[in-house]
Amino acid sequence: MASAKSVTVRAAVQGESGAITGLQEAGFGIRFGGDEQEFRGEVFPVERSLVAVEGDRIVGHTVDRTMTVTVPGERTVRACGVAGVVVAATHRRRGILRELYTAQHARTEAEALPLTIFTASEGTIYGRFGYEVSILDTAVAIDTRRAEFRSTTPDPGGVTLETLADAAPRIREIYERWQKVTPGAQERPDAKWDMFFADIERHRQGATTLFVLLHADGYALYRRSRRGEHGIASIWEFRAATPDAHAALWRVLLGMDLVDTVEADIADDDPLAHMLTDPRAVQLTRRGDSLWARIMDVPAALTARTYRADLDTVMAVHDPFRSAGGNFALRIRDGIAECEPTTRPATLSFDINILAALYFGGQRASTFAAAHRLKAEDPTVLRAFDEAFTADRAPQLGWFF
Ligand SMILES: CC(C)(COP(=O)(O)OP(=O)(O)OC[C@H]1O[C@@H](n2cnc3c(N)ncnc32)[C@H](O)[C@@H]1OP(=O)(O)O)[C@@H](O)C(=O)NCCC(=O)NCCS
C-alpha cells in the first residue's frame, strides 16, 4: 500500500481535465454528459484545480473559484468556493485530503480571501479543518389538496408561463435583485448561468425539462413527473424579490391541476405555511446543511458584515488546523464592527468553526453554548452576541456547487 508520502500535491495543468473528471465520476458515482462536463470546466476551470499525484496517476483533487457572497447588511464578502473534492477509493484514509486542504488553504490565504465555503457530501469530514454548517436547508412537500390560502393572503396575479429561453434575461435580473439582499447567496457567474439555462439532462432524473412561471419580481422554475395519483411538481429554483411575487407564484403553483404534491426547498423564514388555512399542508421532508464555511481571517470576515446590536467583547478563537485563531477584541457600534487581535482576556471562547456557523446570521451563539461548544462566563455577553449576530433575513444558498 502506497503511503501519502509517495503522493505530491500540485496545480493541475491543461490536458488533465479528462483524468480529473474520471476521478470525480468514480468518487461521486455520477456520469457527467459531454455538455455538462464542458459547462463544469467553465465554472471551475482546470487552472484552478489542485491534484494529488502518485507517479503519473491523479489520485486526489480539489478545485475552487472566487465567489462574491452577500453577508448581513446587504454587503458582500469574497470567498473561496471549493468543489470537486475527491480522493481515489484506492488511496483513501492516507491523509491525501488533509494535504489537499492544506494546499488549498495556503492558496486561499495568499489570495487574501477571508472565507472558504462549499457544500459537503458528508457531515463528518470537515469539522476537523475548522468548517461548520453555516446555512441550513429545509425541503418541504406541499399537499395541494390541503393547500387553501387564507382570506388574508393577497392574490396579486401577474404570473405568466414562459419558455426558459424567453425568460432568461428576466430571470437573471430577478436573481440578482434577490441575491443582493439575501445573506449567503452568491453572484452567479456567466458560465453558471449558461449551465443553468442549458437545463442539462442529468438534473431531470426522469422528470420534464423546466417550466417557467414569471412575475415582474419573481420566478419559479419547476419540473413535472408522474408520481402519486396524478403527479408531482418539483421546484428547481424559486426566487421572489417581493412578498407579492412570493404570493402570486405560490398561488399558481399550488393551484395547478393534475399535481398532488409540490416539492420545494424553502428558507427558514419563508411565510408559506402561515399563508394557508392548514399549515400541516406543508410537510417537512428534509432538514440538512446546504453551505459549510470556514473563517480564514477573523478580523477581515467579521468586519465585512453588519450587525443588529452594539457589542464589546473579547473572543478566544481556537484554530488548531490553521492558526488563524487567537484573542480578538470585537467592538460593534451602529452595526459596524471593529475587530483586532488583543492580549486582553476573553469573555467568550470557542473553536473557529463556531464563527462560521454564526457568520450569515441564521444560527445563534446560545445554541452552541447549550451544545457545550462555546464558553461564556457571563450570560449577558452571550445574549448580546446573539442579538448582534442574528440577521434580518434567513440566509440561503444562491446556487449549489
Ligand atoms: C472524503 C474523501 C475526500 C476523504 O479523503 P481521504 O484522503 O480519505 O481523507 P484523509 O485520509 O486525508 O482524512 C483526513 C481526516 O478526515 C477523516 N475522514 C476522511 N473522510 C472521512 C469520511 N468520509 N467520514 C469521516 N471522516 C473522514 C479521516 O479519518 C482523517 O481523520 P484524522 O486525520 O483527523 O484522523 C474521500 O473519501 C472521497 O473522495 N470520498 C468520496 C467523494 C466525497 O465524498 N468527496 C467529498 C466531497 S465534499
Side-chain angles (χ1 to χ4, degrees):
M1 192 165 99
S3 73
K5 301 258 179 289
S6 60
V7 173
T8 51
V9 171
R10 60 161 170 80
V13 293
Q14 287 294 340
E16 290 184 323
S17 322
I20 291 170
T21 300
L23 190 67
Q24 291 188 68
E25 287 184 330
F28 293 108
I30 291 171
R31 283 285 181 209
F32 299 117
D35 56 341
E36 185 176 5
Q37 240 182 82
E38 222 167 278
F39 286 125
R40 285 168 56 85
E42 277 167 31
V43 179
F44 289 100
V46 70
E47 303 85 76
R48 295 297 304 179
S49 283
L50 290 172
V51 284
V53 184
E54 186 178 54
D56 58 0
R57 193 173 284 274
I58 294 176
V59 295
H61 171 259
T62 73
V63 68
D64 71 77
R65 79 172 283 144
T66 302
M67 297 183 185
T68 302
V69 187
T70 302
V71 290
E74 299 181 19
R75 294 177 163 207
T76 57
V77 71
R78 286 171 73 241
C80 172
V82 179
V85 177
V86 66
V87 170
T90 50
H91 286 68
R92 63 197 279 283
R93 309 299 181 271
R94 298 174 201 177
I96 295 177
L97 172 67
R98 187 174 278 275
E99 290 205 11
L100 281 165
Y101 257 65
T102 303
Q104 179 72 61
H105 285 153
R107 181 152 87 177
T108 307
E109 187 175 308
E111 290 170 0
L113 300 174
L115 195 70
T116 299
I117 55 174
F118 58 72
T119 56
S121 63
E122 292 188 76
T124 44
I125 308 172
Y126 295 103
R128 58 176 54 74
F129 303 135
Y131 290 83
E132 195 68 32
V133 175
S134 196
I135 303 181
L136 286 155
D137 168 46
T138 301
V140 293
I142 304 129
D143 180 344
T144 57
R145 282 160 300 196
R146 288 170 76 179
E148 191 190 326
F149 285 92
R150 287 175 174 270
S151 58
T152 46
T153 302
D155 187 2
V159 176
T160 52
L161 184 64
E162 305 282 345
T163 65
L164 196 52
D166 286 349
R170 298 283 308 287
I171 289 173
R172 277 189 76 144
E173 178 262 318
I174 292 164
Y175 177 88
E176 278 156 24
R177 281 163 56 200
W178 170 86
Q179 180 262 322
K180 283 189 168 68
V181 297
T182 306
Q186 325 97 295
E187 283 179 9
R188 195 180 246 144
D190 288 345
K192 190 67 193 176
W193 277 117
D194 292 345
M195 186 170 179
F196 185 83
F197 291 125
D199 189 9
I200 57 174
E201 178 137 20
R202 189 177 63 82
H203 291 165
R204 295 178 208 155
Q205 300 188 319
T208 64
T209 52
L210 289 169
F211 294 103
V212 180
L213 292 174
L214 189 63
H215 178 276
D217 300 311
Y219 60 85
L221 307 189
Y222 65 95
R223 304 182 191 284
R224 295 277 298 268
S225 55
R226 285 247 163 233
R227 254 194 285 156
E229 189 185 340
H230 292 115
I232 306 252
S234 307
I235 297 179
W236 180 248
E237 185 161 291
F238 182 107
R239 302 292 179 231
T242 63
D244 266 8
H246 178 274
L249 288 163
W250 275 113
R251 279 195 175 268
V252 176
L253 287 163
L254 298 182
M256 283 194 286
D257 290 326
L258 305 181
V259 172
D260 309 312
T261 306
V262 177
E263 297 174 334
D265 282 348
I266 59 172
D268 275 358
D269 57 358
D270 194 299
L272 178 63
H274 311 297
M275 291 157 61
L276 303 176
T277 54
D278 180 0
R280 289 190 191 175
V282 183
Q283 289 284 327
L284 182 76
T285 53
R286 191 192 66 246
R287 178 76 167 154
D289 46 86
S290 68
L291 191 78
W292 288 68
R294 189 202 199 284
I295 304 294
M296 303 298 290
D297 178 328
V298 173
L302 293 191
T303 53
R305 57 160 287 184
T306 64
Y307 298 83
R308 292 227 297 201
D310 290 351
L311 184 68
D312 268 300
T313 190
V314 173
M315 312 170 291
V317 180
H318 310 293
D319 182 13
F321 186 63
R322 265 197 69 245
S323 324
N327 278 22
F328 295 93
L330 178 63
R331 182 176 188 273
I332 298 170
R333 288 291 177 275
D334 301 323
I336 307 299
E338 288 167 11
C339 180
E340 55 190 17
T342 182
T343 50
R344 281 161 51 205
T347 49
L348 287 164
S349 143
F350 44 78
D351 286 343
I352 198 159
N353 308 46
I354 305 302
L355 279 184
L358 308 182
Y359 191 60
F360 292 111
Q363 300 181 92
R364 293 158 71 91
S366 48
T367 308
F368 289 91
H372 303 278
R373 296 188 56 193
L374 179 150
K375 272 200 207 121
E377 303 303 334
D378 179 353
T380 56
V381 174
L382 188 58
R383 245 192 328 272
F385 214 74
D386 274 354
E387 277 162 26
F389 272 73
T390 310
D392 291 342
R393 291 180 63 142
Q396 248 185 306
L397 181 66
W399 51 277
F400 180 86
F401 60 102

